[in-house]
Amino acid sequence: MNLRRTLATAVAVAAVTAPAVLLPAGSVFAAPKAPAQTQQKPTYAELKKAADDAKKAYEDAVAAEKAGREKIKATMDALDQDSHPLKAATLAADKAAKAADADKTAADKAVTEAKAALGEAKDEAEKVKAQEALGAAEADARTAAEAKANADTKRKAARDAWDDARVAAFREWNKVLNASAEARKTKEAADKALAAAGDCVRVPGLTVLANRLPSKMVAGTTVDFSFTVANATDRTLNVDPLVFFRLVAKNQEQHFLKVQWADGAGWQELAPEGSNHVAPVKDMKPGARTEVKMRMALEAGAPATDAFALFAGDASDAYNPCVLGPMKRYDFKVLPAGSKPGTVGEAKPGKVEDKDRPKPKPKSAAQTDSVASADSTASAQPASAGTGGSLAATGASPAVPQLALAGGAAALLGTGAVFAVRRRRGARGTN
């Protein structure tokens, strides 16, 4: 398994070039940073594969540990049976050694008795006879001693063979346990590396700003405007512009406000219940920008109130599945139907905190299968060029999830309620 190699091997950035050009001179967006050196670290996809491989290896090790536990139990149970060849040989050797020991004891006793008889001999004839008996007893004792030594050697060999079989079984079991422990450590390290790579990275250069969004709007009217996405970072990104519109009014009055965005083929309506990722841009190179048309309509019965819009750039690249740009808030007034708004300027952008991000709603099958394109209308050319030109629409990644705004995730900002619409994005791989 190449898990450790996957985690340690330096890899080169291999991003696919998308239709994109540099920002024009005098742009309100920040100039892109100088391109960074190729990142010498595993991509998120490689870390994900390493984590998957480690998980599979750990599962296999756990299964092997279970099988090993059953195997050692069966082995030890078999070795404890008298019918097992090694156990039977040990028992037989024990029995033979005990018999040889008894024979030697008897022979040693005979020698002792023969010596005593020799000492008690009264005449020369008895001494000769006793000496012969002693010699025979000592010869038998030597034979018994040799037999006992041989029996003891065989018993030790039989016991060693039996014990070696038990030790070998435990060694195999320890290998299984060590493999399981190492697999667990490797899995934990791979999971930790993946989790660290999945943490959101905040970059100031990924901006989404509204254009021609009015500071006042009369109920019963419709206004066209746009927003511009600019990648002034040093990385190629898959960008998900995030937008959110809301009346500072009761929830049941939100239906008076309808916002749409152009996807190149028609108008798509924003979900009224929450935030939306719209006009995804795949492989947006450093210095590129694109503009997306939008339309906002207020029904005649809309209440006179304050309203606001939020814009932000959410993105991913080969190394980070979660790249967040700053969020901008635009406040505007809703005037009663028939009002004379007078001079209407553009709503001014302001920053807003985006620490709290609701969890995304699951995408429907239709959303998963569809790939939308941004309706690009802004000029986008190198800084040395003049005006004119257009940026081609780019496709959306089907792996990009939709966001939903949780009604309870609200925070007070000044006199108006601001919904925290940005979330800590889940780990999404970029191929």
Side-chain angles (χ1 to χ4, degrees), residues 135-226:
E138 288 177 340
D140 290 342
R142 286 191 296 272
T143 301
E146 291 176 1
K148 180 180 182 303
N150 291 334
D152 287 343
T153 299
K154 291 180 179 179
R155 177 172 62 179
K156 183 179 183 303
R159 281 190 171 275
D160 287 348
W162 187 45
D163 289 341
D164 287 347
R166 297 164 68 90
V167 170
F170 275 108
R171 283 176 177 169
E172 290 300 318
W173 170 234
N174 284 333
K175 288 181 182 179
V176 171
L177 288 181
N178 291 337
S180 177
E182 286 299 318
R184 178 176 55 80
K185 291 179 182 178
T186 302
K187 177 183 179 299
E188 290 173 351
D191 289 343
K192 184 177 180 181
L194 182 65
D199 289 341
C200 289
V201 177
R202 298 180 181 272
V203 293
L206 176 59
T207 54
V208 179
L209 297 176
N211 309 311
R212 302 179 302 281
L213 179 66
S215 59
K216 293 183 287 186
M217 188 171 177
V218 177
T221 63
T222 299
V223 62
D224 287 341
F225 60 102
S226 67

Side-chain angles (χ1 to χ4, degrees), residues 228-245:
T228 302
V229 184
N231 180 13
T233 72
D234 58 2
R235 60 182 73 191
T236 297
L237 297 172
N238 294 329
V239 183
D240 288 330
L242 181 146
V243 297
F244 173 69
F245 286 77

Side-chain angles (χ1 to χ4, degrees), residues 375-393:
D375 181 19
S376 177
T377 58
S379 61
Q381 60 276 338
S384 59
T387 60
S390 63
L391 178 63

